[in-house]
Amino acid sequence: MDLPIIIHPLVRLATEAIGTYLSRQLIIEPPEHVFADMPEARSPAGAFVCLKRAGQLRGCIGTLEPGQATLAAEVIHNAIGAAQRDRRFPPVELWEVEELSISVDVLGSSEPVPDLADLDPLRFGIILRSGTRQSVLLPDIEGIQSVAEQLAIAREKAGVGPDEPVELHRFQVLRFY
């Protein structure tokens, strides 16, 4: 017996937002069913929306702090951003939407990292800052198994050399597929 595939309401919302934007150039309003399925989507929260196609990253945009009135609106905004404004990739085309694997990460609050022993790349994402340069890495990224790898990638992403001083914060996420 095949079990039904259950797609999280925030992932359905991100998919709908991308499809509607690409097909009609419209930004949807959060539908009431999202709030019925997930009442906490009425509260503001930072969130990342990541898109993969054939197992490869196709776009990922997010916010550390909420920029929208609700989590649902944040997901809509960041889903469209991941599909259209991630500078690392060309914009997603409508035909690709059905081939996308979408995840939504809802961010918890961040806290300073006093010691590298307090990091775990599978459990914590990091915010790395050095002067005006900053990078963010989500937790549990495929291929990142150690704190050293996580820091090296965050430094490279921010354009920060290996010997430059940095300020680190960590955060946890709730990840939905």
Side-chain angles (χ1 to χ4, degrees), residues 1-22:
M1 178 173 108
D2 289 335
L3 295 174
I5 296 173
I6 299 172
I7 299 172
H8 192 274
L10 292 179
V11 174
R12 281 197 321 258
L13 178 61
T15 304
E16 182 182 347
I18 292 168
T20 301
Y21 185 81
L22 294 180

Side-chain angles (χ1 to χ4, degrees), residues 23 73 90:
S23 64

Side-chain angles (χ1 to χ4, degrees), residues 63-118:
T63 48
L64 296 171
E65 300 292 329
Q68 306 296 317
T70 65
L71 170 59
E74 198 81 25
V75 168
I76 291 167
H77 178 80
N78 292 341
I80 293 168
Q84 296 292 284
R85 295 188 301 275
D86 187 330
R87 291 183 229 144
R88 299 170 291 178
F89 305 97
V92 169
E93 296 184 34
L94 183 59
W95 65 267
E96 293 178 273
V97 175
E98 67 183 37
E99 298 178 10
L100 294 176
S101 170
I102 299 174
S103 64
V104 175
D105 287 355
V106 179
L107 277 65
S109 57
S110 66
E111 60 188 16
V113 177
D115 188 282
L116 294 183
D118 295 327

Side-chain angles (χ1 to χ4, degrees), residues 29-47:
E29 291 294 323
E32 206 48 49
H33 70 80
V34 171
F35 301 123
D37 292 342
M38 189 178 180
E40 57 269 42
R42 287 192 189 281
S43 300

Side-chain angles (χ1 to χ4, degrees), residues 38-52:
M38 189 178 180
E40 57 269 42
R42 287 192 189 281
S43 300
F48 275 73
V49 177
C50 296
L51 316 175
K52 287 187 175 182

